[in-house]
Every structure is written in structure tokens, then in C-alpha cells.
Amino acid sequence: GTPGVGKTTLGKELASRSGMTYINVGDMAKEGELYEGFDEEYDCPILDEDRVIDELEDRMSEGGVIVDYHGCDFFPERWFHIVFVLRTENSFLYDRLESR
């Protein structure tokens, strides 16, 4: 989902209630510097998807993990039983992002 729709809030709540492990891919990438460059146009680092996969492989094979990221196209399908795409009305989203 788009930034501000509630991915982190929902992911942490689900992990708390289920006893599963919560992983925020953006935070993990920042901590491990899992980038392959910098996008000047968007003023943000470019995620090194292969390094992210390598970093997560062992944890995901154990199961019981909630992964928080804005897309899922580069993750192996075998890792997931279900994928949630969160959306919200633009008027709510604008207010949330503006308050950040």
C-alpha cells in the first residue's frame, strides 16, 4: 500500500495479537544499508532487492513472519500464505501525510 494507509500500524498489531514476528523492510534496509544507489529524481535510496531477499531468506523459511513493505512483486511467492493490500480514501491519506 501507499505510505500512510496503515501498513505499519496493522502489521505491528497483527504481530502483537498473533505472536508472529514483524519485519519492516524499509527499516531493515536502512539498518543494513541494503541499497544499490540513490535516485536523484525521487531523492531516495534504491533498494537492493537481491540483498533484501538474502537477508530475509532464513527468517522466512521458519514461517510466522509479517512483512511490511509497499509492494510484493520481488518477494518469492512461496514465502507468503496471504498478501494484504491496504488502501484509504485520498482525503484521509492527504491529512495523514501532511501531519507527518
Side-chain angles (χ1 to χ4, degrees):
T2 304
V5 297
K7 297 180 304 295
T8 299
T9 301
L10 180 62
K12 287 180 176 180
E13 183 67 23
L14 287 172
S16 173
R17 291 181 184 216
S18 68
M20 297 175 80
T21 301
Y22 169 82
I23 296 175
N24 182 303
V25 173
D27 291 345
M28 184 186 76
K30 188 181 292 184
E31 291 167 13
E33 297 183 17
L34 305 177
Y35 304 119
E36 60 182 9
F38 192 83
D39 188 317
E40 298 293 336
E41 181 181 351
Y42 292 105
D43 192 32
C44 67
I46 301 167
L47 189 68
D48 186 331
E49 296 173 353
D50 291 334
R51 289 180 60 204
V52 169
I53 297 296
D54 290 345
E55 184 74 23
L56 286 173
E57 186 73 49
D58 289 341
R59 294 160 95 178
M60 295 304 292
S61 66
E62 296 170 6
V65 179
I66 295 172
V67 177
D68 176 351
Y69 193 62
H70 65 266
C72 63
D73 57 325
F74 71 92
F75 295 113
E77 285 185 35
R78 70 180 185 279
W79 282 3
F80 302 100
H81 294 284
I82 191 166
V83 173
F84 294 94
V85 178
L86 303 184
R87 304 179 329 167
T88 192
E89 193 176 315
N90 282 343
S91 59
F92 295 122
L93 187 59
Y94 181 84
D95 292 340
R96 287 181 195 166
L97 294 176
E98 187 175 53
S99 71
R100 290 183 180 183

